[in-house]
Amino acid sequence: MNDSLEQLVDAFLDGDSSLQFYYNSTTKDVFVPMDGTPYDDEDAIVPIPYKSSKDMYEVMVDFSKLQDDSLKEKLFKVLNNKKPFVNFKEVVSNADLTDAWREYEENYAKQQILEWLETL
C-alpha cells in the first residue's frame, strides 16, 4: 500500500464523530485541521469518511463467518451480547487471530477508501 493510501486507511479506521480527518486532494496530505488555520486551496480539502459502528459490526460478523465452527460460535455469542467490540477483540486475541483480523479490517477499510477516492 502506498503511503497516502495507508494514511487514508488509518484515518478511516481511527476517525469518528469527535475526531475528523481531512484530505487535501491536491497535495494528497491527510491531516486534522487546526482552528483558524488558513488553507491555500479550500476546494481541495475534503473530510475523510470514517467507519461507523454499524458497518464495523457487519465486518466483524463477516470475519466470524470465515472461522471454524467452534470459534465462529464464540464470536457470534460475544457479538450478540454486551460490549461486542471489546469482547470480539478479546476472543480474536485469545484465538491468536489478531493479525488476521487486522488484515481483514484493513482490507475492508482500503476498499471503502478506494471507492470514496473515485467520487472525488
Side-chain angles (χ1 to χ4, degrees):
M1 212 170 357
N2 69 42
D3 286 343
S4 180
L5 182 57
E6 188 173 328
Q7 289 177 354
L8 287 166
V9 166
D10 289 345
F12 177 86
L13 291 172
D14 293 341
D16 60 30
S17 61
S18 64
L19 178 63
Q20 179 71 59
F21 290 88
Y22 286 78
Y23 178 65
N24 183 320
S25 60
T26 303
T27 65
K28 311 294 187 226
D29 290 329
V30 173
F31 63 97
V32 175
M34 304 303 251
D35 290 338
T37 302
Y39 298 101
D40 293 335
D41 187 3
E42 291 284 333
D43 293 333
I45 309 294
V46 293
I48 298 171
Y50 51 85
K51 68 193 180 314
S52 73
S53 295
K54 181 181 178 226
D55 290 340
M56 289 313 295
Y57 181 88
E58 292 301 321
V59 173
M60 291 187 296
V61 167
D62 292 343
F63 178 80
S64 298
K65 291 176 182 177
L66 299 174
Q67 307 311 311
D68 66 57
D69 288 342
S70 173
L71 182 56
K72 186 186 310 183
E73 186 177 323
K74 287 179 188 176
L75 290 169
F76 284 143
K77 184 176 181 179
V78 298
L79 287 171
N80 289 305
N81 284 308
K82 291 182 180 181
K83 300 183 179 181
F85 290 82
V86 171
N87 293 325
F88 174 87
K89 289 181 181 179
E90 183 178 321
V91 171
V92 165
S93 176
N94 290 340
D96 202 26
L97 288 173
T98 302
D99 290 341
W101 163 244
R102 188 172 293 126
E103 181 179 346
Y104 192 86
E105 181 183 42
E106 286 177 356
N107 284 336
Y108 166 78
K110 181 179 176 183
Q111 175 188 347
Q112 296 302 303
I113 288 297
L114 290 172
E115 289 175 12
W116 171 72
L117 285 170
E118 289 178 9
T119 68
L120 299 182

